[in-house]
Amino acid sequence: TGGDTIGDEDDFEWPTADAGNWTNGVNARDQIDGTYATADSSINHDFSAFNDSVPGGDEITGIEVKLEVSGTTAAGSIGVELSWNAGNNFTTTGKTTGTLTTTDNVVRLGGPSDLWGRSSWAPNELSNANFRLRLTGNADNNTVQVDAIQVKIYHQSTGGSQGGGGGGGIGGGI
């Protein structure tokens, strides 16, 4: 407990659904500081229903995941992968937090030009029905904890010789 808090930056969206094997998975999306989803072994938990969409003609330029994480001891990490087809497949290029500390730290994975190992993403792959974020607990004789999760999709308008749009997040202004 203590440490950093995830905040509420523009265009970062919270998941509204979860399923999996972590204890109290809902706590990672409840927007209440100090309540945790926890894992003490190598188990998965998926988060979905970010309740926004990217306009159909937009190009996805990157995806950023923001986590507020800690451990019961200064050990372990948390892996993150993304799915574009309702959890049937996940990105082969996953990301991992650094070694966790006993105080909450905000970790950012991905970014404005990071497609998580894919050559492209289609806007419909980011719908509530298709997009999933998977956490894998990498406990190291401790319990890993997630207090909050947010995702930002970077996208821009395509087409036209007048230039593209700006980079907005899901549901964000472009």
Side-chain angles (χ1 to χ4, degrees):
T1 61
D4 296 334
T5 58
I6 202 164
D8 196 21
E9 286 180 70
D10 288 343
D11 301 327
F12 275 90
E13 303 297 337
W14 296 84
T16 59
D18 68 277
N21 298 312
W22 285 45
T23 302
N24 298 317
V26 69
N27 289 348
R29 62 180 182 85
D30 66 5
Q31 301 184 39
I32 300 171
D33 190 40
T35 63
Y36 298 95
T38 61
D40 59 8
S41 62
S42 182
I43 56 176
N44 297 325
H45 204 91
D46 294 353
F47 295 86
S48 61
F50 289 83
N51 290 325
D52 272 308
S53 62
V54 174
D58 279 14
E59 174 189 9
I60 311 308
T61 61
I63 301 173
E64 183 174 359
V65 173
K66 190 166 57 162
L67 304 168
E68 185 178 330
V69 296
S70 61
T72 55
T73 63
S77 63
I78 298 169
V80 180
E81 300 167 296
L82 305 177
S83 174
W84 59 94
N85 59 5
N88 291 313
N89 301 96
F90 284 85
T91 51
T92 56
T93 302
K95 313 279 184 204
T96 304
T97 66
T99 301
L100 302 176
T101 66
T102 58
T103 58
D104 287 354
N105 287 299
V106 174
V107 176
R108 293 172 182 264
L109 304 170
S113 60
D114 190 334
L115 296 176
W116 292 66
R118 297 190 71 208
S119 60
S120 65
W121 289 75
N124 68 336
E125 293 174 330
L126 300 164
S127 70
N128 283 349
N130 289 321
F131 186 70
R132 302 281 184 275
L133 180 150
R134 172 167 285 170
L135 298 181
T136 302
N138 300 314
D140 184 9
N141 295 314
N142 70 337
T143 299
V144 297
Q145 307 175 136
V146 176
D147 193 6
I149 297 171
Q150 294 176 342
V151 173
K152 181 175 182 175
I153 306 300
Y154 293 89
H155 57 97
Q156 64 186 11
S157 178
T158 59
S161 61
Q162 298 301 312
I170 288 182
I174 52 172

